[in-house]
């Protein structure tokens, strides 16, 4: 990449000019700090935990006794064997998973199931390609390499989320084998990953998420017999090192911050709150809390949506903040009411865009990240957060969508379960909703649902996790999806697939002359242009009908410019949607109208203008076209709900060669019986 390209990439988006010199100076300071850190890595790796004056005076036996007796920091002080009573099936799966870790060194990562981790340097070895990422200085590690490896999967392994599974099994059974496995893994991990060396220290976000998972597990394992004086000293050294590393290598930037820096400061807040015994605990706790709230001001929009143009990352950030706020509340740390209100809006956004099947549309990237994986969830499964939110905020509508889940019991105990049970469920249907900052508009009534996407590339025009999905739709009927967003699949593991899943042609919108709505480059998987800049002209919702009208400008850079305007009208009484696409401009173009079908949906052509989409139960969604003379085509495609996992699907498309301006219309009508309804599209 040329110097000009690098500068353009760094300073893309809406970056105020006055911040540029400050950012240059910051980067110089970081470079200077890293020179010093590089020279002292061996010393830093051997540095024991720095305890506060009070705890530094205790003998090893006294310190161990203190940790064994202190009350729980995050989890409720309760007998978790009750988990069996409330969730017998989930408990059985949990114990089975924990036993797989203990006996076979086997567990799931992201969308990859049943992976077995063995051989030398297992914590540095790519779980898919078997590559040892080595022990280079962390800033020298090249994250993206063209050798079939995927650092995202390695990082998922080294977030050590499996430690939480072991801790849960121990809390339920009191079986010391789970504790012994946990502490032995800590010993192995530290030997294979000395401070500041290798890919597992490359990202402060990964260091922070690992620290949070280990803190959650340690909250349970402190009282185990396997927690000896030596092992306590070791894990305190690990936590202290993680705190120092996050602070010294945080991902702050004057240009832009994202979920990465938010993870950094949340990690510091957790270490400082969990371990007041550490010398730097107060500093980390106060800095982490202040920065966390400051990032909420920057990253959470007034309508409650995260600013990264991704429902998957909105879910991740919501979980991060919800658990952190509960940690603060449990430990007497006050958070201003305005931030609790902002958190409630984040849950309202999840509730508002959730489909009738309880899943969220996967707008933008979704790698399925969780801050503490008490239950491994699909990337589109966010209902468990609403179950917790129902209790925290006393919101009946959250309970309706967020049923009782194991997370609620683990985090809020029996009291939370009882409170959840006492909340009445509202008898009214979830209404249509508009989230203008997110560009999310939901046209719904009872079991009918259409999500209309009008978001830009996110992060104030810089883009990172957005897709080329302007004016795309998702459609559900009878409680199941028929037309969906494809998700993400992978990032660096397969650059071509990464490019495909975020492409215009993979979304339910219109492609013009084979051009992407926003510029993308297969070799820059986390950079996307902001040429489309969708604009909503009107939105109206009544008990009888909904209407959304929006346009985007991604094709204005064509020699003969085209502006795409899409209007969707929802007639609730007639249970039908009408979609009108106006391609306004000059010249002759190739217009490709596309709908990405959900996995399992079959497609049959009824006549020249009518297509029937059929689910496994024989229920149908009919699509009738107007203004299109070309035949329907079906393309083989895939949908992904978890990182690294995909399911076969199809894309329904009509390609039209025509002069602009050009208008096409589609009428979508569901039929529970499968029989063709009356479809009159004029």
């Amino acid at each position: 990449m040329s110097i000009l390209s690098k500068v353009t990439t760094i300073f893309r988006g809406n970056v105020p000019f006055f911040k540029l010199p400050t950012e240059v100076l910051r980067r110089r300071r970081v470079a200077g700090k890293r020179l010093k850190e590089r020279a002292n890595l061996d010393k830093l790796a051997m540095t024991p935990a720095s305890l506060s004056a009070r705890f530094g005076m205790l003998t090893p036996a006294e310190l161990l006794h203190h940790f064994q007796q202190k009350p729980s920091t995050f989890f409720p002080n309760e007998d978790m064997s009750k988990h069996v009573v409330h969730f017998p099936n989930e408990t059985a799966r949990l114990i089975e998973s924990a036993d797989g870790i203990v006996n076979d060194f086997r567990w799931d990562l992201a969308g990859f199931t049943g992976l077995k981790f063995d051989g030398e340097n297992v914590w540095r070895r790519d779980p898919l390609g078997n590559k040892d990422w080595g022990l280079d200085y962390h800033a020298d590690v090249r994250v993206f390499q063209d050798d079939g490896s995927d650092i995202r999967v390695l990082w998922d392994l080294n977030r050590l989320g499996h430690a939480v599974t072991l801790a849960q099994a121990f809390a339920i059974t009191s079986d010391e084998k789970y504790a012994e496995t946990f502490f032995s893994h800590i010993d192995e991990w530290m030997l294979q990953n000395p401070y500041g060396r290798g890919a597992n220290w490359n990202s402060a976000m990964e260091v922070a998420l690992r620290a949070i998972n280990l803190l959650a597990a340690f909250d349970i394992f402190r009282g185990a017999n396997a927690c000896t004086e030596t092992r306590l000293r070791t894990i305190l050294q690990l936590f202290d090192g993680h705190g120092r590393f996050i602070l010294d290598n945080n991902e702050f930037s004057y240009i832009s911050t994202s979920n990465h820096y938010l993870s950094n400061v949340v990690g510091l807040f957790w270490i400082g709150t969990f371990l007041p015994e550490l010398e730097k605990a107060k500093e980390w706790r106060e800095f982490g809390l202040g920065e966390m709230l400051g990032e909420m001001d920057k990253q959470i929009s007034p309508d409650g949506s995260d600013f990264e143009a991704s429902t998957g990352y909105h879910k991740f950030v919501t979980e991060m903040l919800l658990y952190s706020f509960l940690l603060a509340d449990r430990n007497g740390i006050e958070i201003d009411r305005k931030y609790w209100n902002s958190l409630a809006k984040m849950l309202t956004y999840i509730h508002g865009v959730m489909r009738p099947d309880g899943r969220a549309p996967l707008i933008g990237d979704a790698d399925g990240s969780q801050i503490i994986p008490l239950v491994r969830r699909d990337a589109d499964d966010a209902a468990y957060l609403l179950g917790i939110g129902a209790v925290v905020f006393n919101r009946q509508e959250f309970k309706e969508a967020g049923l009782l889940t194991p997370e609620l019991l683990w985090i809020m105990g029996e009291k939370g379960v009882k409170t959840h049970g006492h909340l009445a469920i509202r008898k009214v249907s979830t209404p249509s909703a508009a989230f203008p900052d997110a560009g999310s508009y939901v046209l719904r009534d009872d079991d009918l649902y259409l999500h209309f996407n009008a978001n830009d590339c996110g992060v104030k025009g810089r883009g990172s996790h957005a897709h080329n999905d302007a004016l795309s739709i998702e459609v559900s009927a009878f409680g199941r999806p028929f037309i969906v967003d494809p998700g993400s699949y992978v990032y660096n593991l397969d650059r071509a697939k990464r490019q495909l899943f975020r492409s215009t042609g993979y979304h339910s919108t219109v492609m013009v002359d084979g051009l992407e709505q926003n510029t993308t480059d297969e070799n820059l998987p986390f950079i996307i242009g902001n040429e489309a800049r969708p604009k909503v002209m009107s939105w109206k919702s009544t008990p009888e009908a909904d209407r959304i009208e929006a346009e985007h400008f991604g094709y204005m850079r064509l020699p003969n410019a085209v502006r795409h305007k899409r209007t969707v009208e929802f007639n609730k009484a007639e249970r039908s949607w009408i979609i009108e696409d106006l391609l306004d401009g000059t010249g002759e173009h190739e217009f490709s109208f596309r709908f990405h079908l959900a996995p399992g949906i079959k497609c049959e052509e009824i006549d020249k203008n009518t297509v029937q989409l059929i689910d496994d139960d024989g229920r149908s969604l009919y699509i009738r076209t107007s203004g299109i003379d070309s035949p329907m085509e079906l393309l083989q495609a895939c949908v992904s709900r978890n990182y690294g996992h995909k399911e076969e699907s199809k894309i329904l498309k009509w390609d039209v060669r025509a002069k602009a301006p050009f208008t096409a219309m589609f009428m979508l009508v569901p039929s529970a019986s499968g029989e063709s309804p009356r479809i009159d599209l004029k």
Side-chain angles (χ1 to χ4, degrees):
M1 186 184 292
S2 67
I3 294 177
L4 177 60
S5 296
K6 288 182 179 179
V7 172
T8 303
T9 297
I10 292 170
F11 297 121
R12 68 191 188 278
N14 304 322
V15 179
F17 180 77
F18 69 87
K19 289 188 176 182
L20 303 188
T22 310
E23 177 61 17
V24 170
L25 290 175
R26 185 196 69 80
R27 295 187 181 211
R28 287 181 178 176
R29 288 196 298 270
V30 169
K33 287 174 65 177
R34 285 185 172 169
L35 283 174
K36 183 178 179 181
E37 181 187 57
R38 187 191 296 265
N40 289 281
L41 276 185
D42 292 339
K43 179 181 177 181
L44 291 169
M46 299 299 294
T47 302
S50 297
L51 301 178
S52 66
R54 173 191 168 194
F55 292 98
M57 296 175 60
L58 299 180
T59 67
E62 290 171 334
L63 188 63
L64 177 61
H65 179 74
H66 161 75
F67 273 98
Q68 289 175 331
Q69 298 301 313
K70 68 182 289 189
S72 174
T73 305
F74 181 63
F75 294 111
N77 290 290
E78 295 180 5
D79 177 8
M80 293 309 294
S81 63
K82 296 175 182 178
H83 193 281
V84 181
V85 177
H86 292 290
F87 305 102
N89 294 332
E90 179 58 41
T91 302
R93 285 192 293 268
L94 173 65
I95 300 301
E96 181 181 4
S97 297
D99 287 344
I101 297 170
V102 173
N103 300 326
D104 298 325
F105 214 52
R106 185 188 302 274
W107 59 93
D108 300 340
L109 290 179
F112 305 97
T113 58
L115 295 177
K116 186 174 177 61
F117 309 97
D118 52 16
E120 293 184 2
N121 299 323
V122 65
W123 302 108
R124 297 202 309 261
R125 192 169 296 280
D126 190 297
L128 303 180
N130 205 35
K131 166 188 174 178
D132 188 334
W133 279 77
L135 289 174
D136 293 338
Y137 176 59
H138 67 87
D140 293 341
V141 174
R142 287 195 308 113
V143 172
F144 301 120
Q145 300 186 14
D146 296 320
D147 58 3
S149 61
D150 189 346
I151 200 168
R152 169 65 182 81
V153 184
L154 178 78
W155 281 346
D156 200 24
L157 169 65
N158 285 275
R159 289 179 182 180
L160 303 183
H162 76 287
V164 177
T165 302
L166 292 171
Q168 291 172 282
F170 178 77
I172 292 170
T173 67
S174 299
D175 193 327
E176 284 285 333
K177 68 181 181 182
Y178 303 118
E180 184 62 36
T181 300
F182 168 76
F183 285 106
S184 67
H185 285 187
I186 296 300
D187 293 338
E188 293 170 5
W189 194 94
M190 293 186 70
L191 285 172
Q192 295 176 28
N193 295 274
Y195 182 94
R197 294 189 182 276
N200 293 322
W201 293 94
N202 171 265
S203 165
M205 174 182 182
E206 298 304 318
V207 177
L209 294 177
R210 178 166 57 247
I212 292 170
N213 280 324
L214 291 178
L215 286 165
F218 183 60
D219 201 29
I220 292 173
F221 281 131
R222 287 180 293 107
N225 294 333
C227 184
T228 63
E229 296 172 11
T230 300
R231 282 172 162 169
L232 175 62
R233 183 171 64 248
T234 298
I235 199 167
L236 289 179
Q237 178 188 11
L238 182 63
F239 285 132
D240 196 48
H242 275 52
R244 283 187 282 111
F245 184 90
I246 296 167
L247 191 64
D248 292 343
N249 295 277
N250 69 73
E251 297 166 272
F252 174 79
S253 168
Y254 288 102
I255 295 174
S256 178
T257 52
S258 67
N259 70 86
H260 277 244
Y261 182 63
L262 179 61
S263 299
N264 299 171
V265 297
V266 166
L268 284 173
F269 174 68
W270 278 66
I271 297 172
T273 303
F274 261 88
L275 298 172
E277 298 84 2
L278 297 178
E279 182 182 28
K280 296 290 186 179
K282 185 174 184 291
E283 174 187 339
W284 294 341
R285 181 175 64 251
E286 292 180 351
F287 176 78
L289 177 61
E291 289 295 289
M292 175 175 69
L293 301 180
E295 288 303 305
M296 285 187 72
D297 289 332
K298 289 192 287 185
Q299 297 188 33
I300 308 306
S301 304
D303 66 7
S305 61
D306 180 77
F307 80 152
E308 292 196 68
S310 159
T311 53
Y313 280 89
H314 176 93
K315 168 194 166 183
F316 172 60
V317 170
T318 302
E319 180 179 282
M320 189 186 307
L321 294 172
L322 177 60
Y323 289 6
S324 297
F325 277 40
L326 292 174
L327 174 68
D329 184 65
R330 194 152 294 161
N331 290 275
I333 300 171
E334 186 174 349
I335 293 178
D336 190 278
R337 177 48 54 182
K338 85 165 191 173
Y339 294 105
W340 283 97
N341 292 339
S342 181
L343 177 59
K345 286 184 178 181
M346 296 180 75
L347 292 165
T348 298
Y349 172 71
I350 291 175
H351 178 254
V353 302
M354 187 174 289
R355 299 190 310 237
D357 66 349
R359 302 286 178 139
L362 288 179
I363 306 301
D365 280 347
D367 68 354
S369 291
Q370 295 177 255
I371 185 172
I372 301 176
L374 294 164
V375 178
R376 298 196 72 84
R377 299 287 183 180
D378 293 332
D380 60 355
D381 182 1
Y384 67 101
L385 296 175
L386 294 179
I388 300 171
V391 175
V392 173
F393 294 103
N394 192 32
R395 296 279 290 272
Q396 295 176 344
E397 69 272 27
F398 289 172
K399 176 183 176 178
E400 181 181 9
L403 302 178
L404 179 64
T405 63
E407 288 94 342
L408 179 63
L409 177 62
W410 281 107
I411 295 173
M412 308 195 75
E414 282 288 325
K415 182 179 179 181
V417 171
K418 290 178 181 178
T419 301
H420 187 276
H422 291 153
L423 285 172
I425 297 180
R426 298 191 313 168
K427 299 301 182 182
V428 298
S429 299
T430 303
S432 299
F435 300 92
D437 300 310
S440 287
Y441 294 82
V442 179
L443 295 71
R444 76 159 94 215
D445 185 56
D446 196 19
D447 66 323
L448 299 185
Y449 168 101
L450 184 146
H451 180 276
F452 185 95
N453 185 37
N455 65 350
D456 64 10
C457 72
V459 197
K460 298 181 179 179
R462 287 180 59 79
S464 59
H465 290 300
H467 290 182
N468 277 330
D469 52 10
L471 313 192
S472 66
I473 62 168
E474 279 215 9
V475 178
S476 290
F478 320 113
R480 72 100 67 220
F482 280 81
I483 299 171
V484 297
D485 190 283
S488 302
Y489 184 43
V490 293
Y491 293 159
N492 194 53
L493 182 63
D494 187 328
R495 292 280 186 90
K497 286 291 194 298
R498 163 64 171 162
Q499 186 77 342
L500 179 65
F501 271 78
R502 66 174 181 162
S503 69
T504 305
Y506 236 51
H507 292 83
S508 300
T509 184
V510 184
M511 193 175 210
V512 179
D513 293 342
L515 186 70
E516 292 292 333
Q517 295 173 338
N518 299 297
T519 52
T520 56
D521 185 332
E522 185 174 309
N523 295 312
L524 300 172
F526 292 103
I527 292 177
I528 187 170
N530 194 29
E531 292 86 1
R533 304 187 319 279
K535 176 184 176 183
V536 175
M537 281 93 77
S538 66
W539 159 254
K540 184 177 181 180
S541 179
T542 69
E544 295 77 29
D546 297 335
R547 187 179 189 277
I548 177 77
E549 180 181 5
E551 63 185 3
H552 80 80
F553 307 92
Y555 303 126
M556 296 298 287
R557 63 191 196 277
L558 285 166
N560 290 313
V562 172
R563 181 180 57 186
H564 178 201
K565 183 173 81 170
R566 172 167 277 188
T567 303
V568 179
E569 297 184 3
F570 177 31
N571 187 316
K572 299 177 183 179
E574 296 185 2
R575 291 175 58 85
S576 64
W577 296 275
I578 294 179
I579 300 171
E580 180 182 87
D581 286 312
L582 169 62
L583 288 309
D584 194 14
T586 60
E588 189 173 82
H589 300 274
E590 186 77 29
F591 302 120
S592 185
F593 302 85
R594 301 188 175 211
F595 298 97
H596 200 132
L597 309 185
I601 295 296
K602 291 174 285 190
C603 181
E604 295 183 4
E605 189 171 25
I606 304 302
D607 57 43
K608 181 181 176 181
N609 301 114
T610 309
V611 172
Q612 181 184 12
L613 307 182
I614 313 165
D615 75 358
D616 292 336
D617 296 321
R619 299 168 300 188
S620 300
L621 180 70
Y622 285 84
I623 301 178
R624 185 166 180 81
T625 66
S626 176
I628 296 178
D629 292 328
S630 56
M632 172 271 287
E633 297 180 60
L634 279 177
L635 303 178
Q636 292 297 323
C638 291
V639 166
S640 174
R641 294 200 305 173
N642 290 297
Y643 190 88
H645 179 266
K646 64 182 186 295
E647 301 173 75
E648 290 187 358
S649 64
K650 290 182 173 61
I651 293 173
L652 173 63
K653 75 171 184 128
W654 290 266
D655 290 341
V656 178
R657 186 78 183 173
K659 290 183 178 180
F662 180 82
T663 300
M665 298 180 69
F666 305 86
M667 187 172 189
L668 281 60
V669 184
S671 171
S673 65
E675 296 181 2
S676 178
R678 178 177 175 273
I679 301 176
D680 185 15
L681 183 54
K682 297 179 180 179

